[in-house]
Amino acid sequence: MSTRRTILSTAFPEAFKQLLGLHEIVTEAATEAGLDPKLIELLKIRSSQLNGCAYCTDMHTRDARKLDETERRLYLLPVWRETDLYTEQERAALALAESMTTLSQTQDVPDEVYQPAAELFSERQLVVLAWATAVINTFNRFGVASRTPLPRAV
């Protein structure tokens, strides 16, 4: 039998409001830096998949579809390295996001991951990608710890 979990995001609304504000700042910075919104959604989806956050994976997959992301690319995101469906920039951003998301296992973002991203993105873009990854990882941790249920209707 599963223990009832507190939905952490609603149990401390003052802090969650600040996290949402940070998310808005990062989203605005991504736009200002010229980052493709689809790329940001792919990064969020992939990090959410790695963290096992069904709620965020569901939300950001739906958000990506609203941006006209293709079903095929969404289905193949877990195996992006095995396809040629993703651009060089997307591949570098996904590798960076994966490396940052799995820090507890690897203890490092290796140069062979960081360097391609640093070469393909401006410094501002790279910083925004890192912040977007950090923010989604924070949301994922609350979603997983709370076992946040999926919305009933979409």
Side-chain angles (χ1 to χ4, degrees):
M1 182 169 184
S2 182
T3 304
R4 186 179 94 55
R5 303 279 177 118
T6 299
I7 304 300
L8 299 173
S9 58
T10 56
F12 190 9
E14 308 87 15
F16 191 67
K17 182 179 178 183
Q18 295 299 312
L19 181 58
L20 288 173
L22 179 58
H23 175 262
E24 289 173 18
I25 290 168
V26 171
T27 300
E28 185 177 308
T31 301
E32 290 171 359
L35 290 166
D36 184 347
K38 285 186 197 179
L39 170 63
I40 300 299
E41 291 304 323
L42 291 174
L43 179 151
K44 291 176 183 179
I45 295 164
R46 187 64 188 127
S47 293
S48 298
Q49 290 170 338
L50 290 168
N51 285 321
C53 186
Y55 184 87
C56 291
T57 300
D58 178 63
M59 177 194 326
H60 293 292
T61 300
R62 286 185 283 113
D63 290 346
R65 284 187 185 112
K66 290 176 189 171
L67 296 170
D68 295 323
E69 183 55 82
T70 68
E71 294 292 316
R72 188 174 189 207
R73 284 171 33 103
L74 291 172
Y75 296 147
L76 292 169
L77 189 56
V79 291
W80 63 267
R81 285 181 176 84
E82 306 301 320
T83 77
D84 62 358
L85 296 177
Y86 305 91
T87 68
E88 188 178 13
Q89 275 196 333
E90 289 168 338
R91 296 171 82 73
L94 288 167
L96 180 65
E98 283 186 358
S99 191
M100 289 180 65
T101 298
T102 59
L103 275 174
S104 65
Q105 298 156 20
T106 63
Q107 321 293 271
D108 189 24
V109 175
D111 289 341
E112 53 271 12
V113 169
Y114 188 89
Q115 195 56 41
E119 290 172 6
L120 290 167
F121 294 100
S122 70
E123 182 176 40
R124 178 66 173 173
Q125 290 173 327
L126 184 66
V127 168
V128 171
L129 289 170
W131 272 96
T133 302
V135 171
I136 193 60
N137 272 275
T138 302
F139 280 117
N140 292 163
R141 277 143 180 75
F142 290 129
V144 171
S146 299
R147 293 188 183 151
T148 306
L150 296 176
R152 293 284 180 217
V154 238

